[in-house]
Amino acid sequence: MSKREEWEALGFEAYDAGELTLYMNDDFCTHNGTCVRAYPGLFNPKRTPWFDPSVASTEDIARVIEMCPSGAMRYIWEGEKRVRVMFEPENQRSAAYDGEKLVGFCQLQMDEGDVWIVTHTESDPAYAGQGIAKRLVSKVANAARVAQKKLSPRCNYAAKVLTEDPAFRELL
Ligand code: SF4
């Protein structure tokens, strides 16, 4: 099953933005307003249409969508050169993709009350030097902050990233 089919089966709606297709699922949205604040005019839930891709470049739209901490907003951009990192609560992980190819993940156990356990982080050695593993842990940390959860890292790499960054220490 392709990512598009997987997301549509989960209830995501597709929105055309030229080169990029935005996928949105209200059931995942925590209404924290990150996307609205990140790029004025791009998203506005009080407006119809709520998404206006004409105000931003494809790169900026992709950048703002990647800031979504809940996994409610995602995208497919055929021919994109960058690796994208997103939060996938349905898989209890953050995940990095090169197109449709999974090139890294940071796995969680999210069923432990107010604490998410970080069990494992890995990235494809073929993508070494791109900071993917750190982006994966950062994505999990931002998701935990928005969901008001603490993190318990059982993965040494995640523990190092979370301990070294003062912005993340409050989550431990
Ligand atoms: S950034 Fe994501 S979770 Fe936050 S309001 Fe936008 S869609 Fe919802």
Side-chain angles (χ1 to χ4, degrees):
M1 190 186 277
S2 70
K3 275 287 150 199
R4 289 176 195 277
E5 291 165 336
E6 203 179 292
W7 295 347
E8 281 165 10
L10 284 169
F12 280 80
E13 301 270 352
Y15 297 87
D16 180 25
E19 290 176 81
L20 174 154
T21 306
L22 164 72
Y23 286 81
M24 175 71 194
N25 189 333
D26 268 336
D27 292 343
F28 287 55
C29 179
T30 53
H31 304 286
N32 55 73
T34 299
C35 55
V36 174
R37 289 191 299 274
Y39 201 106
L42 184 57
F43 301 108
N44 183 345
K46 296 184 181 143
R47 182 189 63 199
T48 305
W50 63 277
F51 169 48
D52 181 3
S54 70
V55 303
S57 66
T58 306
E59 286 81 4
D60 281 337
I61 295 171
R63 180 179 56 77
V64 174
I65 293 172
E66 281 200 41
M67 292 169 74
C68 175
S70 70
M73 271 204 301
R74 305 168 186 192
Y75 68 89
I76 300 279
W77 178 1
E78 305 294 352
E80 184 187 18
K81 299 285 188 291
R82 300 177 315 142
V83 169
R84 70 184 187 284
V85 174
M86 60 191 157
F87 191 57
E88 295 181 338
E90 71 276 18
N91 294 323
Q92 303 200 18
R93 71 184 184 186
S94 60
Y97 291 93
D98 180 359
E100 287 272 334
K101 182 183 172 195
L102 181 70
V103 297
F105 63 90
C106 178
Q107 191 66 51
L108 298 170
Q109 284 176 12
M110 296 168 64
D111 50 1
E112 300 287 328
D114 289 336
V115 180
W116 289 350
I117 298 170
V118 187
T119 59
H120 183 62
T121 308
E122 73 174 60
S123 61
D124 187 329
Y127 293 78
Q130 298 185 35
I132 291 171
K134 191 167 186 182
R135 286 172 66 196
L136 287 162
V137 176
S138 298
K139 180 62 78 179
V140 158
N142 287 328
R145 181 180 289 118
V146 168
Q148 299 185 309
K149 304 288 184 184
K150 295 285 187 187
L151 290 173
S152 173
R154 295 192 184 156
C155 155
N156 289 341
Y157 177 75
K160 181 170 179 292
V161 172
L162 294 167
T163 307
E164 286 180 352
D165 190 330
F168 295 151
R169 273 185 219 139
E170 65 179 21
L171 298 167
L172 298 172

